[in-house]
């Protein structure tokens, strides 16, 4: 087994490609030709380290050799846009690449979430804020922000929310990628979408790639998707390594999330040296989450401590708390507006003129709501997370 050099090679490829594009822009044909050959050489080397993508690397290498040949023959229009294609080349390959890039762009989502929308999780928030700030600041080359952070913890504890807040605060391009979706939607082509995704992420930096359910990519589990997910994983790992490129100041942060950290294999874990436990909210965090989810309503009559105690005892997650608040609010609304359902007969215009009656939230609203919300978790589940956190977290 040769030493895996794909990370540094990927970085070298990117550098060569950049230099090629600059040379083309300047009209420096000789440098452009040399750089195109360098790109081809590096891609050939890369093909040796990555069985899954061997053909695709070799195909790209041939493309670069053709470009070099075209430049030499004067067929390649130097001075054109760097992306310009040799005239005679069949552009199907490029069209395909573009189509994947467009699909990757489809994964971009807006994020309006702010740090203030997240209750508790102070340490996690601080770490993410620091990472995001370091990435944005001018800094010596030796100081690098984290490129990959793994968030793990029980369902509904705010992992997605944290990633959205990081993106929202930075005004970064936010790619929301669910591993299982990519696999089922693109199956055999999931590697292409991943490559395209990171290419677009670099173009639109600063970017945050949020990779939800990374555990779906693990090689530990078997099943019919395992071949496709192994390919996708392998591409992903290569992309992640590519970002170890020190000279690059493009900020592309990959945040990965999982509910099943114990399913992750070594290859994934090693790319995410920072692994952050996102636990169930404690009492203080619970109270914050309740405040966030009852904004605009009068909660002065509530005994928040009592609600928090009961919620913690019931192992409620942030999601459960949100549902609890929704339930309580609905109880209040129904009580204050008993004929609400009758209004459904009214035309929209008339409805618009009416307003809801509200009153301060009462403990009884919450007591009713508690009955309907049950956490799927057991003490044992939590212990499992805690144990994993102790062993692998940090
Ligand atoms: N710490 C929190 N502060 C405020 N709201 C929270 C918090 N955690 C969860 N919520 C609420 O629960 C919802 C679900 O949270 P989120 O989607 O971030 O959970 P998750 O950890 O990504 O869950 P899953 O593992 O199931 O994907 C949020 O939209 C938010 O309304
Ligand atoms: Mg989530």
């Amino acid at each position: 087994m040769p030493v895996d050099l794909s990370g540094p090679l990927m970085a070298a490829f990117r550098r060569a490609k950049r230099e090629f594009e600059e040379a083309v822009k300047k009209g420096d044909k000789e440098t452009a030709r040399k750089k195109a050959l360098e790109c081809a050489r590096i891609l050939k080397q890369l093909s040796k380290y990555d069985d899954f993508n061997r053909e695709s690397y070799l195909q790209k290498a041939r493309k670069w050799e053709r470009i070099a040949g075209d430049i030499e023959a004067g067929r390649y229009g130097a001075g054109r846009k760097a992306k310009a294609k040799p005239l005679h080349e069949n552009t199907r390959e490029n069209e395909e690449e573009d189509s994947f890039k467009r699909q990757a762009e489809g994964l971009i989502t807006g994020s309006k979430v702010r740090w203030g929308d997240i209750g508790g999780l102070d340490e996690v928030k601080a770490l993410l804020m620091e990472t995001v700030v370091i990435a944005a600041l001018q800094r010596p080359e030796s100081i690098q922000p984290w490129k990959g952070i793994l968030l793990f913890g029980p369902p509904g504890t705010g992992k997605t929310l944290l990633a959205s807040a990081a993106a929202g605060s930075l005004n970064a391009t936010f790619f929301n990628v669910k591993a299982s979706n990519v696999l089922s939607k693109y199956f055999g082509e999931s590697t292409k979408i991943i490559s395209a995704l990171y290419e677009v992420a670099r173009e639109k930096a600063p970017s945050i790639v949020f990779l939800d359910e990374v555990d779906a990519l693990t090689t530990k589990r078997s099943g019919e998707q395992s071949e496709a997910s192994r390919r996708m994983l392998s591409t992903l790992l290569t992309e992640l390594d590519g970002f170890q490129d020190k000279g690059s100041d493009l900020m592309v942060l990959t945040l990965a999330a999982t509910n099943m950290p114990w399913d992750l294999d070594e290859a994934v874990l090693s790319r995410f040296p920072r692994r952050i436990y996102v636990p169930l909210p404690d009492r203080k965090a619970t109270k914050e989450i309740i405040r966030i989810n009852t904004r605009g309503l009068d909660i002065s009559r509530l005994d928040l401590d009592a609600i928090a105690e009961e919620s913690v005892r019931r192992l409620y997650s942030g999601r459960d708390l949100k549902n609890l608040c929704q339930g309580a609010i609905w109880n209040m609304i129904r009580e204050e507006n008993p004929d609400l359902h009758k209004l459904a007969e009214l035309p929209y215009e008339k409805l618009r003129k009416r307003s809801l009656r509200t009153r301060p939230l009462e403990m009884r609203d919450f007591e009713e709501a508690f009955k309907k919300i049950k956490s799927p978790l057991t003490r044992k589940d939590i212990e499992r997370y805690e144990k994993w956190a102790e062993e692998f977290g940090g």
Side-chain angles (χ1 to χ4, degrees), residues 213-226:
E213 296 179 358
V214 266
D215 47 273
L217 298 178
T218 186
T219 49
K220 277 194 194 167
R221 254 182 284 158
S222 54
E224 59 183 52
Q225 284 207 330
S226 70

Side-chain angles (χ1 to χ4, degrees), residues 117-119 121 154-161 212 259 289 318-319 322:
D117 299 330
I118 304 176
L121 304 175
T157 44
K159 296 179 291 298
T160 302
L161 210 56
D212 213 352
N259 297 328
I289 297 173
R319 184 179 286 137
K322 177 192 172 176

Side-chain angles (χ1 to χ4, degrees), residues 150-170:
L150 175 73
L151 304 172
F152 68 93
T157 44
K159 296 179 291 298
T160 302
L161 210 56
L162 284 162
S164 317
S169 75
L170 191 72

Side-chain angles (χ1 to χ4, degrees), residues 167-181:
S169 75
L170 191 72
N171 222 338
T173 316
F174 185 49
F175 296 82
N176 200 341
V177 190
K178 214 174 232 165
S180 57
N181 284 359

